[in-house]
Amino acid sequence: MTAIPSFTGDANPYGGGDPYADYRTADFPFTSYADLADRRLGAGVIAANDEFFAQRENLLVPEPAEFDPEHFGHKGKIMDGWETRRRRGASADHPWPTDEDHDWALVRLGAPGVIRGIVVDTAHFRGNYPQAVSVEGTCVPGSPSPGELLGDDVKWTTLVPRTAVGGHAANGFAVDVEQCFTHLRVNQHPDGGIARLRVHGEVVPDPAWLEALGTFDVLALENGGRAEDASNLFYSPASNTIQPGRSRKMDDGWETRRRRDRGHDWIRYRLAAQAQVRALEIDTAYLKGNSAGWASVSVKDGEDGDWQEILPRTRLQPDTNHRFVVPSPAVGTHARVDIFPDGGISRLRLFGSLTQEGASRLAARHQELGG
């Protein structure tokens, strides 16, 4: 397994210019998975014990943290992250916090899932970041309140043990716990600030919910679909194409660099489970001068199956949602969209229902993972 780079210690005080010039980061292997703590999926920071300097909700803002050296308020420097007050000891003789003192925030994931990696980002927290962090996870169905999650009957599993982190850095942690989680408890020891939290993993859908729906988008991220690979990720991730809802701006879709050869671009997906596909949508919302010119869609059944074209190469219009009925329902576990020659699409939807085999395998995995 590839070693995960780690960062510790203070960053230098901000000296002007680009605040990200000395930011410490790395390419973490798990970031190819979707962010289960994405607000678009419905994630939220539902409670924190302290947010004196900066609000807990900032943890899940999708954009990178911003820094304004002149931005101060009544409580001090305003930071784009979650920042708690400085902890103190019990008396003048013991003014330091104890080893057990820490601050915490409860995060509801946007979709239940298996977590493959976590990034605790301390961007712009140069001398006021936590000394260490730890992360725990639990699986509680329904919509539990913060009080219920903090009850004695809730079992928490350690995902990231207490680990020293660095200031002004992307602190990444691989997670190797094969369980389904719905909520996280993020701890910072003993206090300080965290700019952003990213939780990368695989969605584990509820089979009973999908069975009740009957026909649904078998490719949607929230239903367990996943973008496995793509020819080009220059401007935006392929997983944007299976996010909930319609795109609201150009970078909320998938766009490739301009080709100067005779090739074309593509995305390969894994469906929620084996399904029968009966209709599809290709949306180019907000892609006006840079949408794909043509597209085709194929599915295959199993890793070694043959690709079956369910939509031949078809002309696309800019900023338009295109709908197609599949002439003959197609069974598959994977899908692929090919765009010609380059450009982008904002969303791809494949509507259908699980086969009996697909439903059985999904139910078995859900039970195995404790969902």
Side-chain angles (χ1 to χ4, degrees), residues 45-175:
V45 187
I46 61 175
N49 72 306
D50 187 294
E51 47 186 332
F52 186 85
F53 286 114
Q55 296 175 332
R56 64 182 191 259
E57 287 87 357
N58 290 332
L59 283 172
L60 305 188
V61 171
E63 294 80 18
E66 297 181 352
F67 181 72
D68 182 350
E70 306 298 329
H71 197 191
F72 285 83
H74 295 294
K75 295 181 179 179
K77 181 73 185 70
I78 295 177
M79 298 293 289
D80 185 8
W82 168 51
E83 185 180 7
T84 65
R85 72 191 78 202
R86 299 187 188 218
R87 282 184 171 270
R88 297 294 185 238
S91 67
D93 292 334
H94 298 278
W96 309 279
T98 69
D99 288 342
E100 292 74 31
D101 285 343
H102 67 280
D103 294 317
W104 54 263
L106 291 179
V107 177
R108 179 191 64 240
L109 298 180
V114 178
I115 297 169
R116 302 303 184 191
I118 295 173
V119 178
V120 178
D121 189 348
T122 58
H124 315 304
F125 289 93
R126 296 169 175 269
N128 52 345
Y129 60 95
Q131 181 183 35
V133 300
S134 61
V135 182
E136 302 159 279
T138 190
C139 184
V140 180
S143 304
S145 68
E148 291 170 325
L149 289 170
L150 296 173
D152 294 336
D153 59 334
V154 174
K155 177 185 176 182
W156 291 89
T157 299
T158 298
L159 304 179
V160 178
R162 182 168 174 169
T163 307
V165 295
H168 196 42
N171 300 277
F173 306 94
V175 177

Side-chain angles (χ1 to χ4, degrees), residues 10-309:
D10 292 352
N12 292 324
Y14 174 65
D18 178 8
Y20 273 106
D22 60 342
Y23 175 68
R24 296 176 287 177
T25 188
D27 291 327
F28 300 116
F30 49 76
T31 54
S32 60
Y33 292 95
D35 182 7
L36 302 182
D38 194 321
R39 285 287 301 171
R40 289 174 294 179
L41 274 177
V45 187
I46 61 175
N49 72 306
D50 187 294
E51 47 186 332
F52 186 85
F53 286 114
Q55 296 175 332
R56 64 182 191 259
E57 287 87 357
N58 290 332
L59 283 172
L60 305 188
V61 171
E63 294 80 18
E66 297 181 352
F67 181 72
D68 182 350
E70 306 298 329
H71 197 191
F72 285 83
H74 295 294
K75 295 181 179 179
K77 181 73 185 70
I78 295 177
M79 298 293 289
D80 185 8
W82 168 51
E83 185 180 7
T84 65
R85 72 191 78 202
R86 299 187 188 218
R87 282 184 171 270
R88 297 294 185 238
S91 67
D93 292 334
H94 298 278
W96 309 279
T98 69
D99 288 342
E100 292 74 31
D101 285 343
H102 67 280
D103 294 317
W104 54 263
L106 291 179
V107 177
R108 179 191 64 240
L109 298 180
V114 178
I115 297 169
R116 302 303 184 191
I118 295 173
V119 178
V120 178
D121 189 348
T122 58
H124 315 304
F125 289 93
R126 296 169 175 269
N128 52 345
Y129 60 95
Q131 181 183 35
V133 300
S134 61
V135 182
E136 302 159 279
T138 190
C139 184
V140 180
S143 304
S145 68
E148 291 170 325
L149 289 170
L150 296 173
D152 294 336
D153 59 334
V154 174
K155 177 185 176 182
W156 291 89
T157 299
T158 298
L159 304 179
V160 178
R162 182 168 174 169
T163 307
V165 295
H168 196 42
N171 300 277
F173 306 94
V175 177
D176 187 21
V177 181
E178 203 69 15
Q179 292 177 227
C180 180
F181 296 98
T182 59
H183 295 78
L184 300 186
R185 183 162 59 190
V186 181
N187 306 302
Q188 48 178 337
H189 309 265
D191 55 36
I194 299 171
R196 298 288 189 267
L197 177 74
R198 307 296 185 226
V199 184
H200 298 280
E202 301 175 68
V203 173
V204 178
D206 181 355
W209 176 253
L210 297 184
E211 182 181 4
L213 292 179
T215 297
F216 59 93
D217 181 359
V218 297
L219 189 56
L221 179 60
E222 61 189 321
N223 293 332
R226 180 187 169 196
E228 290 191 318
D229 199 6
S231 60
N232 188 275
L233 302 172
F234 190 83
Y235 287 113
S236 46
S239 59
N240 278 354
T241 60
I242 55 175
Q243 288 282 359
R246 296 198 70 199
S247 174
R248 296 186 178 182
K249 52 183 180 174
M250 191 176 73
D251 65 353
D252 190 21
W254 172 61
E255 182 187 1
T256 69
R257 71 181 76 197
R258 299 188 187 213
R259 279 190 170 269
R260 302 305 188 198
D261 58 19
R262 295 294 180 179
H264 73 281
D265 290 313
W266 52 266
I267 305 175
R268 188 182 72 242
Y269 305 90
R270 184 185 64 197
L271 307 187
Q274 187 189 65
Q276 187 181 68
V277 179
R278 294 187 291 273
L280 65 95
E281 290 183 356
I282 302 176
D283 196 353
T284 58
Y286 289 95
L287 295 164
K288 298 181 179 180
N290 51 350
S291 67
W294 291 262
S296 65
V297 178
S298 304
V299 300
K300 71 173 182 175
D301 190 23
E303 294 287 351
D304 300 324
D306 296 325
W307 289 106
Q308 173 189 354
E309 193 172 69

